[in-house]
Amino acid sequence: MNRLFQLLLLFIHSCVSIHARVWNDTGTGTIVLEEAWTIPELSTQTGALNVSLQDIHNQRLTQMNENGIDYMVLSCASPCIQGISDPATAGAMAVHANNVLASQISNSTHRFGAFAALSMHNASEAAAELKRTVGELGFLGALVNDYQQSGANNDTLIYYDQPEFDVFWQMVTELDVPIYFHPRTNVATISTLLYAHAPWLNSAAQEFAATVSTHILGLCTNGVFDRFPKLKIIVGHLGERIPSDLDRIDTQLLSQLPLGMPMLLNVSTYFRQNLYETTSGNFATPLLRLHKETIGLERILYSIDYPFVNIPSGTAWVNGLDKVLTPKELWYLKRGGAIKLLKLND
Ligand SMILES: *[C@@H]1O[C@H](CO)[C@@H](O)[C@H](O)[C@H]1NC(C)=O
Ligand SMILES: *[C@@H]1O[C@H](CO)[C@@H](O)[C@H](O)[C@H]1NC(C)=O
Ligand SMILES: *[C@@H]1O[C@H](CO)[C@@H](O)[C@H](O)[C@H]1NC(C)=O
Ligand SMILES: *[C@@H]1O[C@H](CO)[C@@H](O)[C@H](O)[C@H]1NC(C)=O
Ligand SMILES: *[C@@H]1O[C@H](CO)[C@@H](O)[C@H](O)[C@H]1NC(C)=O
Ligand SMILES: *[C@@H]1O[C@H](CO)[C@@H](O)[C@H](O)[C@H]1NC(C)=O
């Protein structure tokens, strides 16, 4: 009986394992990495979006083929696990979602990769699940949807810029994988206070960037990058507005130094050493030019934000950049930067 059970576990394990990741650098198409997927248990979308989020091998793959996308990194649609306040439920759901994703892409690992979903209630448990998904499932890193909500009323917010998360960042550094910081919709307490007067500003127009940029600047000002100088964090939507405002941010933060701010360098420097941005859902050519100047093109990666943003609009934009970028720069934006950051050739 015991032996049978072991064999069963082994079988289940082999079903979800995608460790033998297939990748080779013979293609010329794009690589995109802020692309959402979900399972029925976690879906908050209705109608066509719900269907698109759960699909991988049908309309998603068809559009990838039609639009020259070689490789797509999938991650669990916001808020995913960050929307689950109960720690035990969150932990179990993260493992489940990761196993389902691994098994769904296991026959197409030359086209699809994955970022893990993580319960962030407990930093050591998050570290352990990251280690499992990278080591056993071949995942390329993780994507967190901003703060972890917690507590009976959902209004305890856990930020990963506190010292108790050092154990998590230590594991991230050891595994040498990037963590993507994706936005989320605020818990009711916050969104009522901030957006009830103008509810149209909920979600992508204002709320997302405003909320997640605070978390990212929290990592900077609390010295996380000083303690973990090799950390790689990816930020979507052309940097959630931060690189457009670096002058003012850096200048104003100087005045916080005498007040005990632990940050040793400045945000501009972290954007050249630790932070990467993608173009997901923000195809603004003038901004791309500015960011190329301020943070450097080697920090910028192409992405779309499917299915919230349609794939052909991304394709039209990125292909039109041949008027703005050299062929080598364009290759880096579309493909080369992702190969390097995700270590696809290693
Ligand atoms: C390289 O990729 C191509 C296209 O995806 C595939 O057909 C081929 O089998 C791959 N080669 C290796 C050695 O993995
Ligand atoms: C999304 O679709 C699944 C079935 O695929 C269904 O179980 C779920 O309730 C739907 N979600 C919403 C919010 O409609
Ligand atoms: C992979 O499996 C899915 C079912 O989970 C199927 O729809 C798809 O066609 C398969 N792809 C390949 C390349 O075999
Ligand atoms: C986090 O999880 C670990 C391992 O399960 C446990 O030892 C530790 O007490 C937990 N920490 C907190 C703050 O609950
Ligand atoms: C807490 O959030 C969950 C989903 O995020 C929701 O279903 C639940 O109603 C919320 N509870 C309270 C007390 O607001
Ligand atoms: C940020 O730090 C870099 C490196 O020390 C420095 O060159 C730059 O002037 C600083 N920027 C601001 C606005 O202080």
Side-chain angles (χ1 to χ4, degrees):
M1 191 61 206
N2 199 20
R3 175 88 186 127
L4 204 67
F5 186 64
Q6 276 175 4
L7 279 174
L8 186 69
L9 275 184
L10 206 69
F11 175 70
I12 293 169
H13 183 80
S14 69
C15 286
V16 299
S17 178
I18 59 156
H19 191 60
R21 193 151 42 78
V22 181
W23 168 258
N24 64 58
D25 202 6
T26 55
T28 55
T30 56
I31 298 172
V32 289
L33 48 156
E34 190 198 301
E35 319 305 331
W37 162 92
T38 199
I39 50 177
E41 300 93 305
L42 285 166
S43 180
T44 55
Q45 303 291 336
T46 54
L49 264 181
N50 191 4
V51 174
S52 300
L53 280 168
Q54 291 180 63
D55 163 63
I56 295 179
H57 301 282
N58 299 310
Q59 70 261 32
R60 187 189 298 256
L61 184 60
T62 303
Q63 288 192 67
M64 284 169 65
N65 291 338
E66 288 167 356
N67 288 270
I69 301 173
D70 274 4
Y71 192 74
M72 183 182 274
V73 184
L74 301 174
S75 51
C76 182
S78 188
C80 194
I81 310 301
Q82 273 62 66
I84 304 177
S85 289
D86 176 62
T89 311
M93 190 59 90
V95 171
H96 173 61
N98 291 330
N99 287 349
V100 172
L101 181 53
S103 118
Q104 286 191 7
I105 64 174
S106 61
N107 67 356
S108 300
T109 57
H110 60 304
R111 302 302 300 277
F112 297 103
F115 285 139
L118 298 175
S119 163
M120 298 300 278
H121 287 279
N122 176 311
S124 17
E125 286 173 10
E129 179 61 0
L130 179 68
K131 186 178 182 193
R132 182 186 80 91
T133 53
V134 171
E136 295 177 24
L137 306 184
F139 283 16
L140 300 164
L143 180 144
V144 290
N145 290 295
D146 206 342
Y147 58 76
Q148 175 71 55
Q149 72 179 60
S150 172
N153 294 319
N154 298 336
D155 53 10
T156 300
L157 313 186
I158 300 172
Y159 287 91
Y160 324 135
D161 56 8
Q162 299 299 299
E164 53 269 32
F165 273 88
D166 280 6
V167 51
F168 176 71
W169 298 122
Q170 179 65 40
M171 176 62 77
V172 174
T173 303
E174 277 165 26
L175 295 170
D176 194 21
V177 291
I179 304 295
Y180 207 118
F181 269 59
H182 187 278
R184 57 161 292 162
T185 301
N186 275 300
V187 297
T189 311
I190 305 276
S191 62
T192 304
L193 285 171
L194 288 181
Y195 297 103
H197 69 100
W200 308 275
L201 299 176
N202 276 311
S203 82
Q206 170 64 11
E207 179 192 31
F208 285 179
T211 308
V212 78
S213 60
T214 306
H215 201 167
I216 295 152
L217 292 172
L219 296 176
C220 297
T221 50
N222 284 325
V224 174
F225 298 123
D226 304 313
R227 296 197 293 284
F228 301 95
K230 295 209 166 111
L231 206 53
K232 295 169 188 158
I233 302 291
I234 314 175
V235 181
H237 315 113
L238 277 178
E240 308 294 359
R241 300 182 184 162
I242 300 170
S244 310
D245 211 20
L246 280 173
D247 251 24
R248 182 164 163 79
I249 293 171
D250 280 341
T251 309
Q252 292 301 317
L253 281 177
L254 284 177
S255 66
Q256 302 297 314
L257 275 175
L259 305 177
M261 177 176 63
M263 181 173 83
L264 296 179
L265 306 173
N266 61 24
V267 179
S268 293
T269 305
Y270 301 124
F271 250 103
R272 289 186 170 273
Q273 293 179 3
N274 305 99
L275 291 154
Y276 294 79
E277 69 174 22
T278 73
T279 69
S280 61
N282 198 347
F283 306 139
T285 307
L287 268 191
L288 181 77
R289 281 177 149 140
L290 172 71
H291 292 194
K292 185 186 153 190
E293 212 176 285
T294 50
I295 63 172
L297 195 67
E298 62 275 21
R299 315 307 293 187
I300 312 175
L301 311 165
Y302 178 52
S303 286
I304 297 169
D305 202 357
Y306 179 79
F308 304 104
V309 173
N310 77 63
I311 291 178
S313 67
T315 310
W317 178 69
V318 83
N319 288 340
L321 290 176
D322 59 358
K323 295 173 203 69
V324 180
L325 301 176
T326 67
K328 196 168 171 220
E329 287 171 338
L330 190 53
W331 171 83
Y332 200 85
L333 179 82
K334 288 164 78 169
R335 181 179 179 87
I339 292 172
K340 189 171 169 208
L341 177 59
L342 303 174
K343 296 190 292 179
L344 292 174
N345 279 342
D346 295 7

